[in-house]
Amino acid sequence: MVPSVPLSLERSHPTSLSLSLSVQVQKHNENINHERRTRSGCYSKREAEDTLEDTLSLQSTHYQPKRHTMERFSYQVGDQVEAVKWEEERRLWYGARIVEIIFSRSRHPCFFVHFEGWPVDQADWVDEEDIQPPHLQMQYGPLGKESHESWKDYSEFHDDHAKGPCLTGLVHDTRMSLHDCPCHGDRGVHPEQPLRITSILETLHSQRLLRYFRRVQAREITQAELLRVHTFAHVYNYFSSHTNKITSIAALLNPITTTELETTDENSSSSKRNPQRRHFPLMASNSVTPPDLIYKMSCGELGIAIDTTFHPHHSSYSARVSAGALIELSNQVVEGHLQNGFALIRPPGHHAEEDAAMGYCFFNNVAVAVASILETHASTIRKVLILDCHGNGTQKIFYDNPNVLYISVHRWDQGTFYPYSGTPEECGEGSGLGRNVNIALSASEERPKPMGDTEFMAAFYHIILPITRQFKPDMIFVSAGYDAAEGHPEHLGGYKVTPRGFALMTKMINDLAKELCHGRLVLTLEGGYALQPLADSASATIKPNQGAFQSLRQVVEIQKKYWDLPDYLFKLSFKFHLPATWRATHSIANRPRRVKASKPEVVSGY
């Protein structure tokens, strides 16, 4: 059954699911500070500077609790409600639909709602205080009220699938869209922009795929979690404002309570901030100005390493939510609530090194999540595989770790392509020697051709699969960078991997996870910056091009010192062809001819 939340006139025991809808405003104001300090889970304490006067002011101008005469009301997935939507610092009520209901450890409900008439990326988490039954005078977004029949269909779908185990989780958060260049694209186009997530969500929505995901609530990462992989100086420079002088790691882990420096323990109630305090603009006094913010970008604003945008008021906040979101999703997978998941997060992380931000990345999301899982779930997860498209930061962080196998398939071009590292000879060091595998691809000098589906699939089939089976990981992370997707310009990728190719590689990884580690698989968004990749690409075959053959040959010659690779890989006549049966079975070479797409049907429900 779909979980329902009964609403009654009287608040019952704290573990009850009853929600008061007739509490007098005065009593609510008197108790609000106490409630902020005692709730846990998705009802973590508000920021310390949220005074009672602030609350009274908000209630008098934007938030007037509405009473109704219903004695009891039950919320279910798909129901229409009225919910609070944050627009800058205003709380506005809009018609909405319930997409997901989760419960904190104290059994308080939290609702993921889609605001009717608003784009799908505006969906957000709200708590019990910010949701109420619908009424006739509700307002909707610019697209207007949505189809009741469509949402009824979603409700029935959710009801049917709620009876079985949920396989795939999805985490994204509107707070990540705050990260943007201060110019907001008015004076130039920045590849790493909020529209990256918007375009993915809109595609999933238009194809009715969002209904297959179980939503996971994001949170901010804590300082203690970041310090597992990043240096104290880096966390100090990028985590928060410097209002409170910090002179040691002890001071960083035990700060004076402020908005920005109050969380140190990932299990504390403050590690999951109330989702409804996310959209207030950060004041200048809370801005973050890292010492690397000194390069003038083409738009005229300051950036990091020329190409990495940074908003002093928002970027650090978005980066903390991005990293915390991946940890939350990973925990759900390890604990068995989900089998696998996709973290639709930004800013990305795999280029961030332990002491440096670069390549659009500030905190290394995957590295932090892997380090957290290895420590907090040590009895279950002892070895982790990370698949990447070369995150130099992730490689460096785990370069001497024998419990993390890092494999990267990436464009290298003999060291001339960003970030200019990731050579085949970089195999790890110390106890981690052999645990770093760089499948570095370079074009043939005689007949240069961009790599595509066949070349990437050959790397997976002939190198990644046998090495992974020998390593036997307990969990797999994929830094899902789509820079190699067809349609990216030369400096951002320049390869020709199609959506079909990515789908086949994902299937191979998913099958591998089921074979080796009970299906534990987490994908997280890294690169990929062309919002509408080109539709046409070079015709793929089962035979990799000459450049890929030479690159793969070099990799196996180096890795044979550390792994027991199949004998056929070392025969001089072997050209890394894919199995002949793949021509028909997996349709790499025989993709159906693309037809001109008709105008898409307007989809109003999930």
Side-chain angles (χ1 to χ4, degrees), residues 520-593:
R520 300 188 193 101
L521 171 64
V522 172
L523 290 81
T524 180
L525 180 65
E526 294 286 2
Y529 307 102
L531 301 183
Q532 295 180 332
L534 298 178
D536 52 348
S537 64
S539 176
T541 69
I542 61 172
K543 179 182 177 180
N545 64 41
Q546 183 66 19
F549 162 69
Q550 295 170 347
S551 300
L552 298 178
R553 171 68 68 189
Q554 181 182 14
V555 171
V556 298
E557 288 295 333
I558 292 172
Q559 292 299 325
K560 68 181 181 181
K561 294 184 292 184
Y562 311 109
W563 304 97
D564 184 16
L565 298 175
D567 293 337
Y568 71 81
L569 292 178
F570 302 99
K571 294 181 179 180
L572 295 179
S573 60
F574 183 67
K575 301 296 184 181
F576 292 90
H577 294 185
L578 291 169
T581 54
W582 282 39
R583 182 184 297 273
T585 305
H586 295 281
S587 301
I588 289 182
N590 298 313
R591 296 195 305 270
R593 180 178 298 178

Side-chain angles (χ1 to χ4, degrees), residues 108-125:
H108 287 289
C110 201
F111 307 88
F112 187 74
V113 299
H114 168 81
F115 295 99
E116 292 194 54
W118 289 95
V120 67
D121 65 320
Q122 297 293 306
D124 209 350
W125 291 95

Side-chain angles (χ1 to χ4, degrees), residues 236-368:
Y236 172 76
N237 289 333
Y238 283 91
F239 188 90
S240 63
S241 64
H242 304 157
T243 303
N244 300 301
K245 186 176 181 180
I246 302 175
T247 57
S248 67
I249 293 180
L252 180 61
L253 293 177
N254 300 279
I256 299 174
T257 301
T258 67
T259 301
E260 299 293 333
L261 291 173
E262 69 176 347
T263 54
T264 61
D265 181 5
E266 56 264 41
N267 296 319
S268 68
S269 62
S270 59
S271 67
K272 294 184 180 181
R273 299 181 190 273
N274 187 305
Q276 286 300 311
R277 294 298 297 168
R278 58 182 63 185
H279 294 302
F280 285 122
L282 305 180
M283 304 305 294
S285 60
N286 290 326
S287 66
V288 178
T289 308
D292 297 330
L293 191 64
I294 57 176
Y295 299 92
K296 187 175 181 179
M297 298 184 295
S298 59
C299 67
E301 297 288 347
L302 291 180
I304 296 169
I306 300 178
D307 62 347
T308 300
T309 61
F310 189 88
H311 197 302
H313 295 220
H314 304 308
S315 293
S316 173
Y317 185 40
S318 295
R320 299 198 303 269
V321 174
S322 179
L326 183 55
I327 290 180
E328 280 299 296
L329 178 63
S330 303
N331 284 333
Q332 297 252 358
V333 171
V334 175
E335 293 167 4
H337 305 300
L338 300 167
Q339 184 166 348
N340 50 53
F342 180 38
L344 189 52
I345 58 178
R346 63 173 293 274
H350 66 162
H351 289 308
E353 300 183 352
E354 64 175 5
D355 57 355
M358 61 182 294
Y360 314 136
C361 307
F362 308 110
F363 301 131
N364 196 307
N365 303 322
V366 165
V368 170

Side-chain angles (χ1 to χ4, degrees), residues 391-448:
N392 54 291
T394 310
Q395 172 179 302
K396 280 190 174 183
I397 289 170
F398 295 114
Y399 204 57
D400 60 352
N401 192 323
N403 300 315
V404 178
L405 172 60
Y406 177 83
I407 303 180
S408 177
V409 186
H410 56 271
R411 182 177 179 180
W412 184 50
D413 285 351
Q414 305 298 332
T416 63
F417 195 78
Y418 186 89
Y420 317 113
S421 60
T423 71
E425 292 81 11
E426 296 171 4
C427 300
E429 64 183 12
S431 58
L433 186 62
R435 295 295 190 261
N436 197 90
V437 180
N438 281 318
I439 304 175
L441 302 175
S442 298
S444 169
E445 295 182 359
E446 296 81 14
R447 290 184 296 175

